[in-house]
Amino acid sequence: MSIELVPGSVTPGQSFSLIYNVPGGASGGASCTATNAAGDSKWSGTVTTTGGTITLVAPTADNIYSYSISCSVGGSTETAQASLFDGTAAPAPSDCGVTNSSGTAVPTQYLIAPDASVATGSGGLCVGCSVSNPANVVDQDLLNYAVVNTPLGLAADESLTVTSAANTYAAGHLVGFIASNPAELLTLDLLQNVTINTFLDGVTQDTAGATASTPLRLDLLTLLASPKSAFVGFTATKPFNAVQLADGSLVSVLGQVNVYAACVSTQAVTGSSSSSSSGSSSSSSSSSSSSSGSSSGSGSSSSSSGSSGSGSSSSSGSSGSSSSGGASSSGSGSSGASSSSGAASYDWTQLGSTLDGYVSSASSPPSGTVSGYSFLLYNKSGILYSRAGGNQTASSVLAIASASKMPSAAAIMTLVDSGKLNLDTPVATYLATSGVTWPVDKLSITMRMLLSHTSGLPGLGDSTNPDCINEETSTTLAQCVQTIANLTLVSQPGAEFNYGGADYQVAGYIATVLSKQDWQTFFTAAIAQPLGLTTFTYGPDTLVTNPRIAGGALSDAADYAAILQMLQNNGQFNGKQVLSSASVADLEANEIKGLPVAYTPFPFGQASRYPGYGLGLWISSSSLYPGSPGPEYSDPGLYGTSPWIDNGLGYGAIILIDQDVPTGLDMWNAARPLIISQLTGG
């Protein structure tokens, strides 16, 4: 259930839209009541349970007003709230009441609307996990709060992130949250599963608390109505414009955290220290592996010819332009051309030579070599290095197989942002009038399970993995989904990770039902047009009636890199908010921690290097990227295409080849340390 106010900041008397969504409300016998703090009778009392859009008028006084909805279904009640900043002169609370270790006040300020926004995220499998009333964290009423619920003993996490649109804070600033525990006084022992993270434009900067060596500090406060309130935070070592509180791991001794506001010191803090700390170390889970393979099926590819073994490269320190609208660079130069970004200077000679070393002149290159490749490396400053070798050029378009999953998942998440889809609502709700009969044994499957391969539907290693997934022109997407619906589950929904294509075929079909568009049209509107993509496609529209959502896309390096850039920039691309930061967090959250693995596509012995999986994204083991704080996410494909992003160092890259998984992984593992060495000055 959700409420969105568009726009979120208005002048007195200005009209705005209230958009609300009640998933399953129409068919679930729900009753919904609306309230607001602005005295508007149009959003008050009983409202329809089908969702909708209502035009309202901002009050004539300067303030922040909340608009809420509460719905009851079968004895269970859910609420949602959004806040509207009306006017431009609302006074801000001046100080958070934080002191240093000597008891001296530390000048601080609250991060509140309209200069700050709040988003929530979740990961893992958790019944009862939630963040309610997040807008309370950025309003001006310090007596209300958001509630982060994380029931005891469940492998999951909930997070709440406040982003400043007005300021970037330098290293040395104290940052954190005003919070309380309704059950008892907050202590560092109670906070053993809580982390505070900072971000700069969506890239992780610092982490303190449960998963890091940096301890949290805790200052008990008496400013608020609750005498148990405290400031929980740390002193940042890197610049940031967002701060996050996450309660998770093996959740949680705390169970519930009331979060009143985010706070940051008005100047760098010197000479202060934490009053105490509880050390805790982080650990990563590993998953077992079975036979190799990835998304099945073939796709056409086109590439320009060139001399085997030769490489053309270009590099730039600022964003280049291309017809694709994504990351690209033009021109060519000798192997090993260097690039500069701001004050940094890099030498990519060894990287170019290493990539060229994989090119083979054999008519059918053996595994471990390629007939050609294209490669693109970028960071926030633009393209750092672009190179192609063998029979490929920078504009070559190839089938990317399972590297289709992340773009597909990203497109589907735009439906979450628009309020049409809830990840945790049973998909039967969305299929009820679609023409597909969804059986009783699959009623508990959700979109989150589909996108994380935990639905219980057959995977690539199962004999019942449906052939229709690869029948792109001889059946329809709806017919294939009905075939999948009729299959017997291989496990209970949510019980195990089982990689395959059936999950995404169903998820893609639901996207077409909700958007009322075919898959390619939907993807174009959701992702391709906002990013300016020109080559990324799921096959010729006139031929493909059953697009392979999990593995049927084709792309060049620049188009795919644009998708990576959008994801890494917290959903923004060229000033457009293509995907919300909350949806990006959902894509990257580990959904399979602690689950048994029925099938993984990685070659034998390598599955433990990729222990986590989000929604279309693999999460790498930190052992793969020494020298970077990470995390690293990827989406490799059957033919060896290897795209990845490193949020620790703020770069991303793609290797585009037409070979196999082991070769793609070899090239990636050879390129990565050379990139990290240059970016870190190693």
Side-chain angles (χ1 to χ4, degrees), residues 225-463:
S226 169
K228 301 170 183 176
S229 62
F231 170 79
V232 183
F234 69 104
T235 301
T237 67
K238 300 176 182 177
F240 64 93
N241 58 9
V243 58
Q244 177 190 75
L245 182 147
D247 187 18
S249 188
L250 289 176
V251 185
S252 167
V253 174
L254 203 52
Q256 178 176 320
V257 186
N258 295 342
V259 184
Y260 296 85
C263 279
V264 62
S265 61
T266 57
Q267 57 191 16
V269 177
T270 59
S272 64
S273 61
S274 171
S275 56
S276 62
S277 65
S278 58
S280 61
S281 59
S282 61
S283 61
S284 60
S285 61
S286 61
S287 56
S288 59
S289 64
S290 57
S291 59
S292 64
S294 186
S295 292
S296 58
S298 60
S300 60
S301 65
S302 62
S303 60
S304 302
S305 61
S307 58
S308 175
S310 66
S312 62
S313 65
S314 63
S315 55
S316 170
S318 60
S319 297
S321 62
S322 79
S323 59
S324 72
S328 81
S329 57
S330 59
S332 61
S334 61
S335 174
S338 63
S339 67
S340 62
S341 174
S345 181
Y346 308 109
D347 182 357
W348 304 112
T349 305
Q350 187 175 357
L351 176 59
S353 298
T354 298
L355 293 171
D356 287 348
Y358 285 89
V359 177
S360 169
S361 59
S363 57
S364 296
S367 180
T369 64
V370 295
S371 59
Y373 73 89
S374 55
F375 172 81
L376 192 147
L377 168 69
Y378 69 87
N379 70 2
K380 287 184 65 176
S381 67
I383 306 307
L384 296 178
Y385 191 57
S386 177
R387 189 175 184 85
N391 63 358
Q392 283 198 51
T393 69
S395 59
S396 294
V397 177
L398 285 97
I400 61 175
S402 282
S404 308
K405 289 184 175 64
M406 181 274 286
S408 295
I412 290 170
M413 292 303 292
T414 65
L415 294 171
V416 176
D417 290 343
S418 67
K420 295 179 180 178
L421 175 68
N422 185 304
L423 290 177
D424 299 309
T425 295
V427 298
T429 301
Y430 306 116
L431 293 170
T433 59
S434 69
V436 168
T437 302
W438 197 246
V440 174
D441 66 324
K442 301 176 180 66
L443 288 180
S444 63
I445 295 175
T446 65
M447 183 66 80
R448 190 185 301 276
M449 293 176 186
L450 293 175
L451 297 180
S452 62
H453 304 289
T454 60
S455 69
L457 293 173
L460 286 173
D462 297 307
S463 60

Side-chain angles (χ1 to χ4, degrees), residues 5 20 60 101 231 252 418 434 474 486 495 634 662-663:
L5 306 178
Y20 73 104
T60 56
S101 58
F231 170 79
S252 167
S418 67
S434 69
S474 58
N486 295 339
S634 64
T663 304

Side-chain angles (χ1 to χ4, degrees), residues 466-471 475-485 505-506 546:
D467 293 334
C468 72
I469 295 175
N470 297 319
E471 297 170 359
T475 189
T476 67
L477 184 56
Q479 290 169 340
C480 185
V481 169
Q482 186 63 70
T483 298
I484 294 169
Q505 212 68 2
V506 177
N546 179 38

Side-chain angles (χ1 to χ4, degrees), residues 172-234:
H173 280 263
L174 185 67
V175 62
F177 289 87
I178 304 295
S180 71
N181 173 32
E184 57 184 292
L185 193 69
L186 273 181
T187 65
L188 285 168
D189 286 339
L190 277 177
L191 293 170
Q192 62 183 290
N193 288 318
V194 170
T195 57
I196 305 292
N197 308 290
T198 58
F199 302 87
L200 181 61
D201 296 334
V203 178
T204 305
Q205 300 298 297
D206 285 320
T207 297
T211 62
S213 57
T214 302
L216 291 174
R217 58 175 283 164
L218 185 107
D219 298 277
L220 295 179
L221 306 176
T222 57
L223 290 180
L224 306 179
S226 169
K228 301 170 183 176
S229 62
F231 170 79
V232 183
F234 69 104

